[in-house]
Structure formats: C-alpha cells, structure tokens
Amino acid sequence: MSHRRKKGLLSAALATAVLIAPLAAAGTAHADPNNNSVRKLVKAVNGKNVKNHLKVLDLIGKANGNTRVDGTRGFELSRDYVATLLRLAGYQVSTQKFTFENEEFKTKPVFERKTPNPKVYALGLDWVPSGHTAEGSFSAKIQPVDVLIPPGPTPNSSTSGCEAADFAGFTAGNFALIQRGTCSFAVKVANAKAAGATGVVLFNEGQAGRTEADVNPDLGGPQDIPVLFTSFWEGRDLAATPGAEVGFTFSWETEIKTYESYNVLAESRHGRADNVVMVGGHLDSVEDGPGINDNGSGVGAILEVALQMAKSKPENKVRFAFWGGEEFGLLGAEHYVANLTEQEKANIALYLNFDMIASPNFVYHVYDGDDSDGVGSGPGPEGSAQIEKYFEQFYASRNLAYKGTDFDGRSDYGPFIAVGIPAGGLFTGAEQRKTPDEVTKWGGTAGERYDRCYHQACDTIKNINDTALDVNADAIATLVGTYAYDSSTINGPHAPGIATRAKASHGDDVPKALS
C-alpha cells in the first residue's frame, strides 16, 4: 500500500465499500436473456445506467484521496466493484496480479499562479521544467518581455528576449516571461539574468505545431535561477496579467516506488473458445485525480454492455478486460499479452479498446485501422480496417460526423497490435485542442482541450459529456454484439484449434448480426 494515504481515509474506504455493495448486488437486475441481438442489446444499454457506474467510481475516488491510481484503496475498490458485478452476472471472473516499479519525483514539481485567480498548472500539459533549471522554491511577479501576441504568421516571428534592449524597464527580482522565437533559449535566459530576473518562464510561440508545452529548452548548461517552459496558451494568459504572482517548486531528487496492480478479466460462459472477442479499457486513474473520463467512461460503458448481454448465448466467447497499470505505460495489457501462449493469442479474433469516450469538448474519433488518414503509425493488423469501417457505419447510421485517430500507442490496444491481433476502438480526445472545423461538426469550443481536466483533480463526474457517453455506449454495444455473433469478416473461417487470420474483407459485406 502506498504511504500517500492517511489513516483517516480507512473509515472512508470502509464506508465506500458499504455503499457500493448494494449497488453491485443490484447491478445485474436489469440483465435480460432476450438481449441476444444487436438491436436488443443496443436498446438495453442505457446511458443513465452507464453513468451510474461512473458515479460509483467517482464516490470511490472521493473517499480515497481523490484518486484511483494503482496501489491505493481507490484502485482496489474499483477492481472489486467491477469484479463483483461481473461475478453476480454469471461471468467467469479472474483477477491477474502484477507488480511494477516506477521512478518518481520525491516532491512533486509545482508551478502556480498565486494571484490573481489562483491556479495550479498541470505538469506535462501546461508546463515542464527545463532540464537545466535550478532547484528550490521561488515566488515572484511575472513581467512580459517584448512578447508578440497574437503570434506572427510564421515560426520565429517573435524576437522576445533576444536583445538586451528588450529588457528596458524590467524590474529586477521579477520572473521574465519570454516567448519562443528567433534566437536560442540560452540567449534569452542570459539576457534575462543580466537584467536581474530571478526566474524565467519561457512559452511556445503560438503557430500551428508550436503551441504546446512539449519543448525541453536547451540552456547551454545548468542555471542558478529557475527556468521552465509553458504552452502558448498559458504564456498568453500570463502576458495578459502582468504583475501576477507566480510560484515554482522543484527538486531533482527521485525515488523508486513499487506498485501492486490487477487486471480484471471476465469471460462469457458460452461461445467458441477458439474465436474470442476481447473488449477492454483501463481501470486505473492517475494520482492527481479520480479519472472519471480517463477512464471511468470506458469502464462504465464496457461494464454495462457486459451486464446487459450476460444471459445471452453468443456464437463466440466474449472476454471483457479491465486493465491496471495503463497510466504507467500500458503495463496491465502488456503483462496479459506477454503471458499468453501462441495458441491463446491466435484464439483472440480481435480486440476493441475504449479509453476516454465522454470528453466534455468531444470529437467522435475512430481508430484508423487502414491508415487512410496517413498520419503517424501505419495500419493495424489485418482486420483492423474492417473494425474501423463498422464503427463508421454506426455513426453514419445516426447522421453523426466521425474522424480518424492514429494508433499512436498511447492506450491498451498497443500490445495486441504488436502481436498481430486486429484492433479498433473509440476515443473522444485528451489534451489536444479542438479546431474551428471540428466545432462546426461537433459543437464545443475551439482552442480548448478536448478534455480540460485530463490527468487532473477535476476529472470527476462533472467532467463527463452525457451525449458522447450515451452515443458511444451504443456504438460499443453495436460492435461487441456484432462480433459476438459473427466475426467472419475479421478472421475468416477460424477452425477450432487452428491459428488462422485470413485477410479481412474490404467490400460492402457486413456481419449477419449487423445487417
């Protein structure tokens, strides 16, 4: 168990267990043996019931330090809630334990605006420390230095901090706010120090591809003042409030922590064991929040689909997986796949992944199985293209726009793709920002993140878009139900005991269950 939890949380955790027990006992009451077709299954999967699962996960987080991260009581109760419901529903349930080590800062780095309107910036999203920053705790007023907002039309338009004259009138003792641009970061920081700055906040310039906090500025060597890098958006906001007081705390000291986690696996009692349809999403959250969109949303939808089809008799076995360790690097899914025999891998017809399906500023993303977008990674294994096609057909049937998203390796489909298992899934967006064109298709706010609370404490039940949750739960029910009864377009004739992966059809044929 992690030393992060306080003793006072024990009673809260016990109270949470008492509260969720009756919810788990009642969770299968609405399962219907007649949910034996896609149409009936989709009708049975109700967005309100899905959200009820999210409310339980939110309650678990609140009672356990606002987190469900691996190694905490919050994760254990999440595991037990899912496993209990699935056992009561009649599934064959197992928990797969694994341990792992992770190197972490002993003291979490903090960058915050103290006044006005206090705000703690998200590490890795809003800002990153420079690799050469000084250690310690610092506080000062921020002072913009010749910034160019809005940014110029092309990269390196800004000359912010490149000349000593840029610091005319600079107040010694302040933090200098300097924009990325024509000269090197080392020159900018040297000029700031010469002007008496006690710290430097560098920020991205603002053109396309130069907006996020994704740069480790090269300062030419260790510095004796704090230096950090923020996104254009945070720099722009700080520039609009000159005189704002900011604080920065950082130490290079790290420690190795050992975590214990679990995968929860539930398999239908009926169906071909040599032609398994796998459906998964990660159960863990990050340390900083309860992870109700990331990934309570995927968990809740998968769980509800499982409960609603619990009494049906599919043609293929359906295996539902709730992964641990995803936020530390897909560790649960990797552990599971690494421990499969070659025959067990061959028996998996396909894998469907659902991670963040209800982002508040959402876009309906479908994983690009055929690489038709030509972005990033190549296509998924044979069959992935057909999975993508059926998700697209679902949205088209409801006159909803959809968009491809790359298999970039950031979620639990990665280990399955690596061993040649066809994969697909849905995603409504994380830290990326919505474009004006996307707003015309899905509504929302341009320039804001798809999920404003991604990996933060505010990823609670209030961070869920109910429309996206309901629509995507239906999409999940559609594809799971379809492949549970007919996966022939994915893997061809799959004879018992024979590892076969035929090339997927790219025609207009659809599984019988979907037609």
Side-chain angles (χ1 to χ4, degrees):
M1 294 297 150
S2 169
H3 68 272
R4 292 176 299 237
R5 290 178 290 113
K6 298 179 181 179
K7 292 181 180 179
L9 289 176
L10 177 60
S11 59
L14 293 173
T16 302
V18 171
L19 286 169
I20 69 173
L23 289 170
T28 59
H30 50 268
D32 188 336
N34 295 317
N35 292 340
N36 55 6
S37 72
V38 174
R39 181 180 59 82
K40 292 177 181 178
L41 179 61
V42 172
K43 184 176 180 181
V45 174
N46 185 292
K48 291 183 179 179
N49 291 335
V50 175
K51 195 166 185 180
N52 284 338
H53 298 306
L54 273 59
K55 290 177 180 177
V56 175
L57 296 177
D58 188 58
L59 175 64
I60 290 171
K62 286 180 179 177
N64 293 280
N66 200 43
T67 189
R68 298 185 303 105
V69 71
D70 295 275
T72 66
R73 186 62 174 158
F75 179 83
E76 292 172 352
L77 286 172
S78 301
R79 174 203 64 196
D80 293 347
Y81 173 71
V82 169
T84 299
L85 279 174
L86 293 166
R87 287 193 180 99
L88 289 171
Y91 284 94
Q92 296 176 318
V93 179
S94 61
T95 53
Q96 185 181 42
K97 180 179 176 180
F98 61 97
T99 59
F100 61 94
E101 293 183 341
N102 191 60
E103 184 177 10
E104 302 175 14
F105 288 115
K106 275 194 171 182
T107 303
K108 183 179 177 180
V110 175
F111 177 54
E112 61 184 323
R113 183 177 63 215
K114 294 185 174 182
T115 61
N117 304 318
K119 175 181 180 179
V120 177
Y121 296 101
L123 177 65
L125 295 175
D126 299 331
W127 75 284
V128 291
S130 164
H132 289 128
T133 187
E135 297 180 271
S137 292
F138 309 88
S139 181
K141 291 183 178 181
I142 201 84
Q143 185 170 345
V145 177
D146 192 31
V147 299
L148 183 61
I149 298 176
T154 59
N156 295 321
S157 296
S158 173
T159 61
S160 172
C162 291
E163 299 177 357
D166 292 341
F167 293 85
F170 186 84
T171 302
N174 283 351
F175 272 25
L177 178 67
I178 304 177
Q179 190 174 17
R180 183 184 187 182
T182 57
C183 63
S184 71
F185 293 119
V187 168
K188 294 173 184 288
V189 171
N191 286 337
K193 290 169 64 175
T198 55
V200 177
V201 176
L202 301 163
F203 69 100
N204 220 334
E205 193 171 7
Q207 298 87 5
R210 293 165 71 91
T211 58
E212 302 304 321
D214 55 1
V215 174
N216 181 8
D218 181 3
L219 307 181
Q223 300 295 314
D224 57 2
I225 63 170
V227 182
L228 56 105
F229 188 89
T230 79
S231 72
F232 168 76
W233 315 99
E234 308 308 336
R236 179 193 63 181
D237 291 347
L238 285 170
T241 55
E245 184 180 2
V246 297
F248 173 73
T249 301
F250 183 77
S251 170
W252 285 111
E253 190 175 11
T254 62
E255 60 183 339
I256 302 295
K257 292 185 179 180
T258 300
Y259 289 86
E260 179 181 281
S261 190
Y262 296 82
N263 296 325
V264 178
L265 301 161
E267 185 164 287
S268 63
R269 294 184 181 275
H270 300 282
R272 289 174 54 179
D274 67 323
N275 208 43
V276 178
V277 174
M278 280 205 71
V279 187
H282 72 88
L283 184 59
D284 60 319
S285 76
V286 294
E287 182 179 13
D288 289 343
I292 303 306
N293 184 41
D294 182 18
N295 179 40
S297 60
V299 166
I302 295 167
L303 180 58
E304 185 63 17
V305 169
L307 298 179
Q308 291 296 349
M309 66 182 300
K311 295 183 180 180
S312 63
K313 296 181 179 181
E315 176 70 19
N316 303 311
K317 277 193 176 293
V318 183
R319 186 177 301 151
F320 296 94
F322 302 84
W323 309 115
E326 192 271 355
E327 297 292 3
F328 291 89
L330 319 184
L331 301 183
E334 286 185 347
H335 178 81
Y336 172 79
V337 172
N339 283 278
L340 294 173
T341 66
E342 290 304 312
Q343 187 60 58
E344 287 170 335
K345 293 174 189 175
N347 288 343
I348 299 173
L350 67 147
Y351 174 71
L352 302 176
N353 190 74
F354 304 105
D355 187 356
M356 300 182 69
I357 65 164
S359 301
N361 201 25
F362 71 91
V363 165
Y364 292 130
H365 286 111
V366 179
Y367 283 113
D368 186 15
D370 61 3
D371 196 32
S372 56
D373 295 338
V375 175
S377 302
E382 294 287 359
S384 303
Q386 201 65 33
I387 296 172
E388 178 189 9
K389 177 181 176 180
Y390 293 153
F391 275 123
E392 291 173 348
Q393 288 180 351
F394 167 83
Y395 290 117
S397 73
R398 298 195 175 191
N399 295 316
L400 295 171
Y402 54 84
K403 182 178 182 179
T405 188
D406 185 42
F407 277 130
D408 59 8
R410 290 180 58 179
S411 197
D412 293 299
Y413 53 78
F416 291 88
I417 287 176
V419 296
I421 295 172
L426 305 176
F427 174 57
T428 52
E431 79 277 15
Q432 300 88 357
R433 297 178 188 270
K434 202 167 198 176
T435 67
D437 179 64
E438 290 171 340
V439 171
T440 65
K441 296 177 181 178
W442 294 281
T445 306
E448 288 192 4
R449 291 192 172 102
Y450 297 128
D451 183 353
R452 61 182 178 272
C453 291
Y454 176 66
H455 283 189
Q456 297 180 64
C458 57
D459 188 10
T460 67
I461 196 66
K462 296 179 180 180
N463 193 45
I464 293 296
N465 185 288
D466 290 343
T467 298
L469 183 69
D470 189 37
V471 168
N472 281 335
D474 285 352
I476 295 169
T478 299
L479 270 288
V480 174
T482 294
Y483 289 125
Y485 288 96
D486 182 4
S487 64
S488 61
T489 59
I490 290 294
N491 57 4
H494 196 159
I498 300 176
T500 302
R501 290 207 193 284
K503 185 175 181 180
S505 167
H506 292 276
D508 294 328
D509 56 313
V510 295
K512 289 178 289 185
L514 189 62
S515 58

